[in-house]
Amino acid sequence: MGYVAARGGTEAIAAAEELVRRHRLHAAAPWLELEQLTERLRYLTDRVMGEGGLWAPELAARAIRQAEGDVIEAAHLLRAHRSTLPRLCRLRAVDADGLDPLRRIVPAFREVPGPQLLGRTLDYTGRLLDLADEDRARDDAAGAAGARVEPTEFETTLAGEATDRAAEERSARFPQRLLDVLRDHDLVVERRRPDDPEPVDISSFAVRPGIGRSGVLSVMARAETGALVNLWYRNILGPDNHLHEVTLGEVRHGELPVLVTHPHTGGDVRLGVVRATEVEAIEDLNGAEEDRTRFDVGYGLVAGHNERKAIAMANLDIAVHRHGADGALEQSVLMTTDGLDASGFLEHLKLPHYVTFRSMIERKQAMRTDRARQQRTGRHNRGANENGAQR
Amino acid sequence: MTLHRTAAGARLQGDRSTAVFRVLLDTLARPGMVQALPPGLFPPGVAPALALPLALADLGTSFCIASDDEAEAAAQRDLVALATDARHTIPYDADIVVLGRPDPEAVGGLRSGSDELPEAAAKLAVQVEDLGSGATVVLDGPGVAAPFAVTVGAPAEFMLALCDRNERPPAGIDTWIVDRRGRVLGLPRTTRITVLDGTGTEVS
């Protein structure tokens, strides 16, 4: 692999930067406010936060605006900014059971503990481009919101039922997982470990094969969405064949609390919440060496609302486990799914490679010269031999 | 209380931390080019070389401050620990090292990483009196358009010790030399350093 440091051209580079800055700040269109990005393009800001590895909606919106909508560039800006921030304190580890769901579905099972809560999803919308008059559509939506009457059923609970109702509400808000039900029926292989090792922090340590499950999961949580989906699809339908079709146990999107320990009281202090998408994927074990009477479960957890990525992650988690920790799939997950890595390498191809390419040309010319000389020498030798034979 | 007040003043937040980071980055990108730390960065009495841990360290970082004046070193350790929550440790374990003077022997005891883990090397800041004095060296390598001579504020013995540690990149120690006026000179591990004596002859 050849590289050459780029020298010179400083004025041209500065002019290109100025061109970007000027057109970004003085485009012939209204200025894009951060709120428009965070509230109207929520999937985009969530994706940038997930791939950038920093929960900061306003900064993500700034990055998207600065990158003019280039998602990987925006994630790069956010991750670079994150690297300059000091770590101020250690957060308490939060149990994902404490995720307050905005949406929760269990595709594997109809009768599950807790509700199937569709929530805000595009799953059931017809993929038809809405060409309705936008002003009228907004007016209609505002009118419909004003006319809606919220149910008052829960407000009229009798005093004696209050405790039951509270328990029901809690059960509805924090439902038991399908995985727990399967465990109760002894249908899942045991992959939990008795110890509780510190997870690998991939923002501080270089990622390499053999990093362990926490490292692999962290890499996938920060991976580029398209790369992860592609890797999953390649393994389902492509030549790699590391995955079978799996069934989804839990798909949740909700809010997780951010907790720190109070330095004096030792109690939990809630700093706020982050939204996350969590997925558990159930796989039917069918390998010769596997326990075929049970299932195994893969896990996905990503920042923001990004079900596609969390599902791919859960599927790949289980595939990495089934096909060996040091195998090719783990290497693919670790080394090829990071958007910054991949695009950084790709983008560098645009930098001047004058010296390396020049040397390639010279090598080819030298080979050609050498070949021509050999041919001439060969002809000469053949001619000499032929003459000798005649003599 | 004085320590707490000084630490509060020395704590670099937001833009000030970024400004120092920028100077450290630029001086590594352009070896031998002197840049000044932002003015009024610290309260009086805080050694400018402490800008390295004060800007880059946090509770996930380990650091070491070594000086002939043990009382001064101890005060600086407390200051950095209080301002950054970083953990003080022995030189070989430290991610960030500050030397109170250019001590050639101290350089030998720092982590320089390996071919496989170059990022495990220590980052080193060395406090000197004046960058305009000390040994003259000729610098070449990545980031240097053409070899040039510069004084580095540190004696030849120190520079030779640094050359020894940076013989085999990617292992090596990225170094910043900082003088009392807050001027910074960066020497990344990839820079080829030729140390000259008073007559301009190469010292080996």
Side-chain angles (χ1 to χ4, degrees):
Chain A
M1 204 179 304
Y3 295 92
V4 56
R7 281 181 180 160
T10 307
E11 283 179 19
I13 291 168
E17 282 183 354
E18 174 56 22
L19 206 56
V20 169
R21 198 186 71 84
R22 199 190 322 146
H23 283 278
R24 177 161 58 80
L25 296 176
H26 302 291
W31 183 242
L32 199 52
E33 300 295 343
L34 301 181
E35 202 177 32
Q36 290 173 284
L37 290 160
T38 55
E39 300 301 317
R40 294 197 175 277
L41 299 178
R42 62 193 177 97
Y43 285 116
L44 179 59
T45 46
D46 281 8
R47 182 169 164 180
V48 167
M49 288 190 287
E51 294 173 15
L54 179 69
W55 183 266
E58 283 203 2
L59 292 180
R62 271 182 177 272
I64 292 164
R65 193 168 65 184
Q66 183 179 331
E68 301 181 79
D70 183 331
V71 179
I72 292 180
E73 183 75 11
H76 194 156
L77 290 170
L78 204 59
R79 202 185 293 178
H81 178 72
R82 181 195 192 281
S83 74
T84 69
L85 302 175
R87 289 153 202 259
L88 300 176
C89 64
R90 291 187 194 282
L91 297 179
R92 285 275 317 278
V94 179
D95 193 328
D97 283 345
L99 183 136
D100 197 353
L102 300 164
R103 163 171 162 77
R104 184 256 185 155
I105 55 170
V106 183
F109 223 67
R110 180 194 286 266
E111 301 296 332
V112 287
Q116 300 258 15
L117 179 66
L118 289 188
R120 190 175 172 186
T121 177
L122 299 174
D123 286 353
Y124 303 97
T125 56
R127 264 67 181 191
L128 299 172
L129 187 62
D130 188 350
L131 297 175
D133 180 286
E134 292 189 345
D135 289 336
R136 184 184 296 173
R138 277 200 295 273
D139 288 345
D140 289 349
R148 190 183 303 133
V149 179
E150 297 298 333
T152 56
E153 180 188 350
F154 292 106
E155 296 166 12
T156 58
T157 309
L158 294 173
E161 296 174 347
T163 310
D164 291 345
R165 181 70 74 189
E168 277 176 29
E169 284 183 17
R170 177 161 177 78
S171 167
R173 283 183 64 194
F174 303 100
Q176 192 189 19
R177 295 163 184 277
L178 177 63
L179 175 58
D180 293 328
V181 176
L182 295 177
R183 279 190 178 132
D184 289 345
H185 289 82
D186 194 22
L187 282 170
V188 185
V189 291
E190 187 57 78
R191 275 221 279 147
R192 287 173 291 187
R193 44 193 295 178
D195 56 343
D196 184 19
E198 193 67 22
V200 177
D201 179 0
I202 60 165
S203 65
S204 296
F205 299 99
V207 170
R208 293 185 173 88
I211 195 172
R213 190 182 179 199
S214 70
V216 176
L217 289 173
S218 300
V219 166
M220 288 197 282
R222 211 175 61 170
E224 202 264 320
T225 303
L228 213 58
V229 171
N230 174 262
L231 189 58
W232 167 80
Y233 205 41
R234 183 184 164 91
N235 277 280
I236 285 277
L237 293 184
D240 295 345
N241 196 28
H242 282 124
L243 266 172
H244 306 130
E245 191 168 342
V246 301
T247 311
L248 299 180
E250 296 274 345
V251 179
R252 299 184 181 201
H253 169 229
E255 293 176 339
L256 282 168
V258 178
L259 303 177
V260 292
T261 303
H262 193 285
H264 298 304
T265 67
D268 287 343
V269 178
R270 185 182 164 114
L271 298 181
V273 295
V274 297
R275 280 185 298 100
T277 306
E278 186 193 30
V279 168
E280 286 172 351
I282 304 164
E283 182 150 37
D284 178 13
L285 297 178
N286 57 5
E289 304 294 318
E290 294 177 316
D291 181 353
R292 300 177 70 167
T293 67
R294 292 183 173 80
F295 299 107
D296 202 350
V297 174
Y299 189 69
L301 181 74
V302 304
H305 195 186
N306 193 340
E307 292 175 10
R308 215 173 287 137
K309 180 172 165 182
I311 292 168
M313 177 177 170
N315 279 243
L316 287 165
D317 170 43
I318 203 164
V320 166
H321 174 71
R322 291 187 74 190
H323 291 272
D326 299 320
L329 181 59
E330 185 190 87
Q331 188 170 343
S332 291
V333 168
L334 292 177
M335 310 309 287
T336 70
T337 60
D338 188 79
L340 270 64
D341 276 359
S343 68
F345 187 50
L346 182 145
E347 302 271 0
H348 105 278
L349 298 174
K350 293 183 283 187
L351 293 172
H353 285 61
Y354 307 145
V355 174
T356 41
F357 191 64
R358 178 73 207 165
S359 80
M360 286 159 68
I361 290 174
E362 286 173 357
R363 268 206 308 280
K364 292 203 179 297
Q365 288 172 333
M367 286 163 67
R368 192 176 294 176
T369 308
D370 199 37
R371 192 168 294 171
R373 189 170 52 240
Q374 282 177 0
Q375 283 171 349
R376 274 200 308 276
T377 314
R379 272 203 301 273
H380 175 75
N381 287 342
R382 272 202 307 277
N385 290 340
E386 284 163 8
N387 290 337
Q390 284 169 359
R391 275 197 297 270
Chain B
M1 200 60 191
T2 310
L3 174 65
H4 280 78
R5 267 205 299 273
T6 311
R11 188 170 289 136
L12 294 175
Q13 287 174 340
D15 289 351
R16 292 203 306 166
S17 173
T18 309
V20 174
F21 174 75
R22 188 80 224 180
V23 170
L24 297 173
L25 191 66
D26 283 347
T27 47
L28 271 201
R30 298 172 181 79
M33 301 298 283
V34 176
Q35 286 200 27
L37 289 168
L41 202 59
F42 302 124
V46 176
L50 295 183
L52 178 67
L54 288 170
L56 299 191
D58 64 13
L59 59 76
T61 317
S62 58
F63 75 99
C64 176
I65 295 176
S67 169
D68 293 340
D69 185 339
E70 185 48 41
E72 183 189 51
Q76 291 178 341
R77 276 174 218 146
D78 291 344
L79 176 84
V80 172
L82 207 55
T84 65
D85 290 328
R87 178 175 54 87
H88 190 268
T89 184
I90 58 171
Y92 187 75
D93 284 340
D95 302 320
I96 293 175
V97 176
V98 179
L99 297 181
R101 72 173 178 88
D103 177 2
E105 286 183 17
V107 179
L110 308 184
R111 236 171 36 207
S112 62
S114 62
D115 290 345
E116 286 189 349
L117 295 170
E119 71 274 17
K123 296 172 182 61
L124 171 65
V126 186
Q127 185 67 61
V128 298
E129 288 303 317
D130 182 5
L131 282 175
S133 63
T136 299
V137 298
V138 175
L139 305 181
D140 193 10
V144 180
F148 69 102
V150 63
T151 57
V152 288
E157 297 75 29
F158 177 82
M159 298 310 297
L160 290 171
L162 190 61
C163 290
D164 277 349
R165 298 308 309 273
N166 291 348
E167 242 180 0
R168 290 192 56 215
I173 300 167
D174 297 324
T175 303
W176 291 269
I177 303 179
V178 187
D179 75 6
R180 293 283 170 196
R181 291 157 59 193
R183 296 185 306 168
V184 183
L185 179 146
L187 294 170
R189 64 187 81 180
T190 50
T191 299
R192 290 187 289 279
I193 302 171
T194 307
V195 184
L196 306 180
D197 67 12
T199 65
T201 310
E202 181 178 341
V203 181
S204 56

